[in-house]
Amino acid sequence: MSLGARARGAAVKGLLCLLVGAAPARSSPAPGAGRPEELRRLAAAGDAKAQSALGDIYAEGRGVPKDFKEAVKWYLMADARGDLNAQRKAGRIFAEGRRGVAADGPEALRLLLRAAKKGDVESWGVLAWLYSKGRGVERDEAEAARWLSKVADSGDVAAQRKLAWRYETGLGVGVDCRAAAKWYRKAAEQDDNSSMHALGRLYEGGLGVRRSDRKAADWYLKAAREDYPDAQYRLGVMYAEGRGVRRDLREALRWTRRAAAYGHAGAQSRLGWMYLTGTGVAKDPRKASEWLGKAAAQGDQDARRNLDYVSSEGKGAAAGDETVVLNSMNTRSVKDAKIPSTSRGRRSRQRSIKGPAGIEWVTISGGSFMMGSEDWGPVHRVTVQSFQMAKTEVTVAQYKACVKAGACTPPNGGSKCRWTERGWTTMERENHPVGCVGWNQAEEFSRWAGGRLPSEAEWEYAARSGGKDRRYPWGNEEAACDRAVLAVSSGEGNECGRSGYLPVCSKNAGNTEQGLCDMAGNVWEWTQDWYHHPYAGAPADGSPWESPGGSSRVIRGGSWGDFAASVQATHRGGAEPSDVDERVGFRPVRRLAK
């Protein structure tokens, strides 16, 4: 994540397309094809091809009104005689459900398996979808991945991209960034711009490949030329920083402009900042306000802060101005820009305002543990000092108090965020975890509350009930609705988190031994660390990994929209600091009170 990759995908939004996109196999025309009366005569006589062709006519409405019930009748007759087309088409209708034909997972599975055994690629794709969605079968992401891999092996570019994403995230397969890079490359070689961008991201972060800014820039450039905004944005950053390419602010401006024109919030924010500070372009307060306004409307917090500055000053940044806020994701990108100062009499709000946030702190006694897992490795020993952690994820009510105090900025709005355009939510939502807050907002709140964000090591140590050898906060029993707010296939609706948050501490059976709630599920939680993979070189003293390994911060714990694999205590995610997502919140920690 990136909750950050906005596609970003990723991610944290729909796992598989309904169909993987393979072209249906061609069959020889039925005798009398094109003459319905002749087809009916042959079909009634038991001709399987005629029966299958009649099914096509009714399913497609060729010369007759569409009638899926009639189509299925003829398809099933042809299926009894082993007709592949009928098995594929009827399986698809039963899988999806059509007017007059209710979805029937078991029947879809029976028909599709018969077609799949004959090597039908389209049926492989629908089977992957069935298992991923749990339609008529128990949801099984491993089985979904198995069928998807068969489609990918056939050369289908969409399947290759989706399989790569599964290897990157560990959905249905073990996390294997090398395999992810392999499948992204196969798709990229077929001119898939999303996979080109993904390869750039892997090379930039050293995920599954040897880290190389030059190769990252090369792949970003290929995707950028195909008008992929995320790649254009990253390419602009690399030109500004001189990573993988010669530092060239004019090129940085060109690619940032192109991404901004496509509506990329990060690019709009960065472009506004460039106009504000005169970086690679003449200072222009009007254009700065225009682009910052567009980014702020999409929830970009850096843009909001810079826009507030422009509004309060009534002008652009003067030469040498130290009050301009740098883009939090790219503070390395402009060598001569300065960090905000308090020397002008305007004290930093997060330093000047302190106050209780109604947080219940839980003491976590320090110790050593083996951090990581086979999937998220290498496993390594870390020693953590004692600290205190908030019992719950920060709630809407707690965050509201910080906003009212002037120490925090409001969260990003949205249909699934727990507030309205006019203000804060109704009282019954105030005990839900706050979402749609970026990393900087989480840090602001934590400082206001007298704490900080946890290091990734502290978070995992606490989630494993003091570093114990267990997969989940409660032990090794598989995650289920009674222990976590997550996505499952049991059809239990909101009580399992399928549609959004639940109030904090709704699943006490899933608490840690120390009493921490929702360390698995409900919302992802920001940590202090920059995302690195693998762990080689990670701090062994429990401190955060502050040197950037890419553009993302670590998020942990999974959310209401994720499956059991993503809520394991060792599972890791990443998101760019300015990303805001309804599935991402946080909880602070603080030094042990003496």
Side-chain angles (χ1 to χ4, degrees), residues 305-453:
R305 282 188 284 272
N306 281 330
L307 193 60
D308 287 344
Y309 167 75
V310 174
S311 299
S312 64
E313 295 295 320
K315 56 180 173 42
D321 196 333
E322 296 182 353
T323 62
V324 178
V325 179
L326 297 180
N327 185 311
S328 64
M329 293 168 55
N330 304 299
T331 54
R332 295 170 290 157
S333 61
V334 181
K335 304 285 197 300
D336 56 354
K338 297 183 179 180
I339 296 175
S341 168
T342 59
S343 61
R344 298 179 178 236
R346 296 195 307 170
R347 297 186 63 192
S348 169
R349 292 185 300 180
Q350 63 189 30
R351 292 180 181 176
S352 62
I353 299 176
K354 300 286 183 183
I359 291 175
E360 182 178 351
W361 298 97
V362 174
T363 297
I364 310 297
S365 299
S368 296
F369 77 116
M370 299 305 294
M371 182 175 178
S373 65
E374 183 178 347
D375 291 334
W376 298 97
V379 176
H380 57 293
R381 180 172 293 279
V382 178
T383 299
V384 175
Q385 301 300 314
S386 297
F387 62 97
Q388 291 184 319
M389 177 175 264
K391 179 177 180 177
T392 74
E393 293 158 333
V394 173
T395 65
V396 170
Q398 290 168 342
Y399 197 84
K400 177 181 178 180
C402 185
V403 173
K404 283 189 173 181
C408 297
T409 54
N412 182 48
S415 61
K416 291 187 178 180
C417 295
R418 305 309 183 190
W419 41 85
T420 68
E421 293 180 359
R422 299 172 60 187
W424 288 90
T425 182
T426 55
M427 290 297 293
E428 64 265 22
R429 295 293 190 186
E430 292 203 337
N431 200 35
H432 285 64
V434 69
C436 299
V437 289
W439 185 88
N440 289 299
Q441 291 172 292
E443 187 182 40
E444 285 175 349
F445 177 95
S446 298
R447 291 184 181 181
W448 175 75
R452 56 177 172 79
L453 289 175

Side-chain angles (χ1 to χ4, degrees), residues 261-295:
Y262 277 104
H264 191 288
Q268 291 171 341
S269 178
R270 185 175 180 81
L271 185 58
W273 178 71
M274 293 174 83
Y275 277 116
L276 185 62
T277 59
T279 302
V281 66
K283 290 181 181 178
D284 190 326
R286 183 185 62 81
K287 288 185 177 180
S289 295
E290 175 187 348
W291 287 110
L292 290 171
K294 290 180 178 180

Side-chain angles (χ1 to χ4, degrees), residues 104-361:
D104 187 335
E107 183 65 0
L109 184 64
R110 181 188 71 80
L111 290 160
L112 292 167
L113 285 174
R114 294 189 68 180
K117 288 178 181 177
K118 299 172 184 177
D120 186 63
V121 176
E122 183 177 343
S123 296
W124 295 344
V126 184
L127 282 167
W129 179 78
L130 276 178
Y131 278 107
S132 179
K133 297 298 182 184
R135 288 289 185 90
V137 294
E138 185 176 351
R139 177 176 282 166
D140 188 336
E141 293 295 348
E143 190 68 5
R146 185 175 76 85
W147 287 108
L148 185 64
S149 68
K150 292 172 75 70
V151 184
D153 281 331
S154 76
D156 185 89
V157 65
Q160 291 170 344
R161 183 194 332 115
K162 295 175 196 304
L163 186 60
W165 181 83
R166 280 177 171 268
Y167 274 115
E168 188 177 359
T169 60
L171 183 62
V173 291
V175 173
D176 187 340
C177 288
R178 288 186 180 181
K182 165 192 162 184
W183 287 108
Y184 278 135
R185 189 181 302 277
K186 285 180 179 290
E189 288 170 352
Q190 298 191 62
D191 298 326
D192 184 70
N193 53 17
S194 177
S195 296
M196 294 174 186
H197 169 258
L199 275 173
R201 179 168 47 77
L202 292 184
Y203 274 110
E204 188 177 8
L207 304 175
V209 292
R210 177 171 294 184
R211 183 174 177 181
S212 171
D213 285 340
R214 181 184 62 79
K215 289 184 178 180
D218 287 345
W219 283 111
Y220 285 144
L221 179 59
K222 290 178 181 179
R225 286 173 173 167
E226 297 294 324
D227 291 328
Y228 197 80
D230 284 338
Q232 292 168 341
Y233 170 61
R234 292 305 307 160
L235 189 61
V237 171
M238 297 193 84
Y239 270 113
E241 297 178 359
R243 290 192 295 111
V245 291
R246 180 176 54 84
R247 188 167 187 257
D248 187 333
L249 293 180
R250 293 180 64 181
E251 279 295 289
L253 177 65
R254 180 168 79 93
W255 288 111
T256 304
R257 275 176 171 164
R258 289 183 64 172
Y262 277 104
H264 191 288
Q268 291 171 341
S269 178
R270 185 175 180 81
L271 185 58
W273 178 71
M274 293 174 83
Y275 277 116
L276 185 62
T277 59
T279 302
V281 66
K283 290 181 181 178
D284 190 326
R286 183 185 62 81
K287 288 185 177 180
S289 295
E290 175 187 348
W291 287 110
L292 290 171
K294 290 180 178 180
Q298 295 192 59
D300 189 283
Q301 299 305 311
D302 296 309
R304 286 178 178 175
R305 282 188 284 272
N306 281 330
L307 193 60
D308 287 344
Y309 167 75
V310 174
S311 299
S312 64
E313 295 295 320
K315 56 180 173 42
D321 196 333
E322 296 182 353
T323 62
V324 178
V325 179
L326 297 180
N327 185 311
S328 64
M329 293 168 55
N330 304 299
T331 54
R332 295 170 290 157
S333 61
V334 181
K335 304 285 197 300
D336 56 354
K338 297 183 179 180
I339 296 175
S341 168
T342 59
S343 61
R344 298 179 178 236
R346 296 195 307 170
R347 297 186 63 192
S348 169
R349 292 185 300 180
Q350 63 189 30
R351 292 180 181 176
S352 62
I353 299 176
K354 300 286 183 183
I359 291 175
E360 182 178 351
W361 298 97

Side-chain angles (χ1 to χ4, degrees), residues 523-590:
V523 290
W524 288 91
E525 299 178 15
W526 289 109
T527 71
Q528 183 70 27
D529 298 52
W530 287 97
Y531 188 93
H532 297 73
H533 183 77
Y535 278 129
D541 60 358
S543 62
W545 205 344
E546 290 284 18
S547 58
S551 60
S552 298
R553 295 278 187 175
V554 175
I555 54 175
R556 286 296 207 112
S559 77
W560 54 265
D562 294 294
F563 303 118
S566 295
V567 304
Q568 291 186 17
T570 57
H571 187 87
R572 312 173 72 212
E576 296 191 357
S578 62
D579 282 348
V580 286
D581 190 286
E582 62 199 19
R583 297 165 299 169
V584 182
F586 66 100
R587 78 176 76 211
V589 298
R590 69 180 184 181

